[in-house]
């Protein structure tokens, strides 16, 4: 089941369907980040559910060893990731890919680098049980574990109406919390809302290079990660791109990107070989190292690599500097998150 | 260098010196928790220093592997500890003892179970370099590591007047943050401040049992951990107790407490064999499992063990219930701590 052919062809469809006309003369395929992502009818947000999700996020008792909380690899102080190329899961094994940020994660249509989860709830629930992530055992065991902690029953009742504790409910609460992780009011958002002086001259030049050289064919709309649900795509429909586009590029020899077959590992469909979900560029200055294998340490090198391996463009030093300046304009305001107190 | 003979003899000195007379007829060797612990002249508190300390606390780049932040084992959501008997350090090895809470840690006169650190700053700095804690390498390497992160220089300048980054300054900032971790206004504090109805009847009975059976010989004053600096002891002078007092108690066979020689491992002085720092009982309901080896899972069993192995007292079921109720009155208000954003 190949999900897409090329992200760029999809962009064309998207442009025709959504952007021509109503947006008008000053067309730009970018939008300021809304206050919240699309919320599924099956899991409406509520303060109680978000609070429960936050509590679970900090609770290592969800993991098999009792040592690993979500916060361990998705450190909310550190780009909601961990600053590492690859991470060590609850079972002590290395992860296959680099931890992506959770900031604005609700704006995707599919989850994980290979899009193997088609809802955020499924992504969270499967992560609970992956051995080199949370290694939580079975739905029954993790439910028993959490139900055995006095105080959680009351929190589940407030969130869901009764005290039933189950893995799907944990995933729903965690997903609700994750949908609250929105970083508004970046400099770029100020620019998109009409303050044309918000971007520095270097950032404006970088933005122009970003659009002209083709970065924006995939990195567009609110998250600079392609469509959000309801916009050309629905939740569960993936927006992927071949990476690297040019595996003969020298950077692929250096960084071995193409060793990972991406979505092919999920579908076994040749058309999905080396397809990866297009990642958000919001807060990208806070989420080094870069790419699915975390092989690139700096943003400047990441931009150079994208030019070379993806677009057959050799950016000049000045262009690199400008594009990096532009990418720095995508850092939003991180919401204040008070550390919860776990029930005992 | 034996530091003390018996905590109980010291208590007598303490009572004579500090409590007879001025405290008056309603004598109690307990005091409500002040808003902050004693602050050393060498490391005065400031908002900038506390903020820097909080940032460092969440930053895994202090550790050798880049994976371990202070927050990993001293989870501020989870009793400022990790809920485990023993923990796994940055080098993957098990810790020798159970992680103690950091709440109210500034009220001690010595630090660690064996009192091997005589200032909080020394405790933090030595933890940075212990291989099975943070494993940070050398003072030079961790300073270079943190100095290489743009943004920290400015934070150090705000905290210390210039941008010099050093391990002692990191320890000072972290210690300042730790001194801000005070949990005021427990039910017991309300009681001590004059609201005699704050404790339930069960808690009042438990308190009486706690005092009458001898728990309070060691667990007294503001932290229920003995003297604070300036009160019979100065910072660096240890308040220790032999544990277990009665190694022939059945619980020592079960839990193997006496396998750990405690302060003897620091001093090699026979008089220090099996001496341990008296730990705070504040928030003890949030810091399971119990004792230096984390061998006891529940508070009720911990109280039973203390009766049997420490005081030669066999508490009845009713007494256990009441003492546990009293210990629950020692849970304070946890300050709201907003997750910081680390410099990149």
């Amino acid at each position: 089941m190949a999900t897409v052919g090329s992200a760029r062809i999809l962009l064309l469809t998207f442009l025709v369907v959504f952007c021509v006309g109503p947006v008008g003369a000053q067309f730009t395929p970018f939008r300021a980040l809304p206050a919240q992502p699309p919320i599924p009818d099956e899991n409406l947000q509520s303060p109680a559910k978000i609070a429960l999700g936050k509590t679970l996020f900090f609770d290592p008792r969800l993991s098999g060893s009792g040592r690993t909380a979500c916060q361990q690899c998705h450190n909310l102080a550190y780009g909601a990731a961990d600053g590492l190329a690859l991470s060590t899961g609850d079972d002590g094994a290395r992860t296959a890919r680099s931890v992506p940020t959770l900031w604005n994660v609700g704006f995707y249509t599919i989850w994980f680098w290979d899009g193997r989860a088609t809802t955020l709830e499924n992504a969270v629930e499967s992560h609970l049980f992956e051995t080199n992530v949370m290694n939580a055992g079975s739905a029954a065991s993790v439910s028993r574990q959490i139900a055995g902690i006095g105080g959680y029953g009351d929190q589940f009742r407030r969130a869901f109406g009764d005290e039933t504790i189950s893995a799907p409910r944990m995933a729903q609460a965690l997903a609700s919390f994750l949908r609250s992780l929105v970083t508004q009011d970046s400099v770029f958002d100020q620019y998109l809302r009409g303050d044309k002086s918000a971007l520095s001259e270097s950032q404006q030049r970088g933005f122009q290079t970003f659009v002209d050289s083709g970065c924006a064919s995939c990195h567009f709309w609110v998250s600079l990660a392609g469509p959000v649900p309801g916009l050309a795509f629905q939740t569960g429909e993936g927006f992927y791109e071949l990476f690297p586009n040019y595996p003969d590029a020298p950077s692929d020899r250096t960084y071995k990107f193409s060793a990972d077959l991406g979505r092919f590992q999920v579908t076994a469909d040749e058309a999905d070989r080396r397809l990866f979900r297009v990642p958000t560029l919001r807060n990208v200055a806070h989420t080094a190292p870069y790419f699915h294998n975390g092989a690139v340490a700096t943003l400047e090198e990441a931009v150079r690599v994208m030019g070379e391996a993806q677009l057959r463009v050799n950016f000049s030093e000045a262009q690199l500097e400008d594009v990096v300046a532009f990418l720095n304009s995508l850092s939003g305001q991180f919401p204040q998150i008070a550390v919860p107190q776990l029930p005992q």
Side-chain angles (χ1 to χ4, degrees), chain A:
Chain A
M1 54 167 204
T3 317
V4 292
S6 152
R8 265 172 276 177
I9 294 168
L10 285 161
L11 174 63
L12 286 180
T13 316
F14 163 77
L15 294 179
V16 171
V17 175
F18 287 91
C19 295
V20 174
V23 181
Q26 267 286 34
F27 165 71
T28 159
F30 303 98
R31 287 296 177 275
L33 198 65
Q36 69 173 20
I39 306 296
D41 291 343
E42 302 77 30
N43 189 22
L44 299 177
Q45 299 286 88
S46 76
K49 212 190 277 178
I50 293 170
L52 171 59
K54 185 171 82 167
T55 304
L56 292 168
F57 191 87
F58 280 84
D59 199 332
R61 290 169 294 186
L62 265 66
S63 69
S65 73
R67 292 181 59 230
T68 311
C70 307
Q71 161 73 11
Q72 168 67 6
C73 288
H74 292 289
N75 185 343
L76 296 176
Y78 197 18
D82 62 2
L84 299 169
L86 302 177
S87 307
T88 307
D90 189 64
D91 65 352
R94 280 293 150 108
T95 56
R97 301 197 180 107
S98 192
V99 171
T101 183
L102 291 183
W103 293 115
N104 310 305
V105 70
F107 290 94
Y108 283 115
T109 55
I110 38 104
W111 286 267
F112 300 128
W113 283 101
D114 53 19
R116 66 188 184 277
T118 54
T119 69
L120 182 53
E121 285 76 5
N122 285 351
V124 170
E125 196 171 342
S126 65
H127 242 27
L128 267 180
F129 301 114
E130 285 170 294
T131 53
N132 76 338
V133 185
M134 296 292 280
N135 198 20
S138 68
S141 67
V142 71
S143 303
R144 208 180 313 119
Q145 166 71 9
I146 297 303
I149 301 165
Y152 264 122
D154 194 47
Q155 286 202 45
F156 274 80
R157 188 186 46 70
R158 283 200 295 273
F160 294 105
D162 66 64
E163 298 202 353
T164 306
I165 292 176
S166 67
R169 280 189 171 183
M170 289 178 213
Q172 284 197 307
L174 281 160
S176 291
F177 172 58
L178 299 187
R179 289 194 180 97
S180 77
L181 300 181
V182 177
T183 62
Q184 289 202 284
D185 284 327
S186 68
V187 165
F188 187 57
D189 289 313
Q190 295 163 27
Y191 174 86
L192 290 175
R193 290 207 169 92
D195 177 4
K196 295 303 168 199
S197 69
L199 293 184
S200 70
E201 288 191 13
S202 169
Q203 287 173 327
Q204 291 189 38
R205 287 194 304 269
F207 181 31
Q208 198 62 50
T209 302
F210 183 86
V211 171
D212 292 349
S213 59
C215 309
S217 342
C218 294
H219 294 290
F220 64 99
W221 212 247
V222 297
S223 291
L224 295 92
V228 293
L231 186 81
F233 281 58
Q234 299 305 319
T235 296
E237 294 176 333
F239 186 61
Y240 302 97
E241 178 56 86
L242 189 65
F243 180 77
N245 241 342
Y246 301 104
D248 59 340
S251 55
D252 193 51
R253 279 199 298 283
T254 309
Y255 299 120
K256 302 186 172 30
F257 300 124
S258 61
D260 186 331
L261 301 182
R263 187 156 172 76
F264 175 83
Q265 296 184 340
V266 179
T267 64
D269 185 323
E270 283 300 325
D272 287 339
R273 190 175 283 268
R274 290 191 287 109
L275 285 190
F276 290 90
R277 178 186 69 180
V278 176
T280 181
L281 294 185
R282 286 195 177 268
N283 309 301
V284 70
H286 291 262
T287 59
Y290 299 103
F291 299 108
H292 58 267
N293 61 358
V296 174
T298 70
L299 196 47
E300 180 164 333
E301 176 65 359
V303 174
R304 192 194 68 74
V305 164
M306 283 301 281
E308 180 193 274
Q310 205 64 2
L311 303 167
R312 282 266 200 252
V313 170
N314 286 311
F315 291 122
S316 68
E317 285 303 310
Q319 282 178 314
L320 285 178
E321 195 176 306
D322 289 341
V323 173
V324 168
F326 165 64
L327 293 176
N328 269 282
S329 81
L330 301 175
S331 297
Q333 301 296 317
F334 297 103
Q336 287 259 313
I337 296 173
V339 177
Q341 292 302 323
L342 304 183
Q344 294 284 332

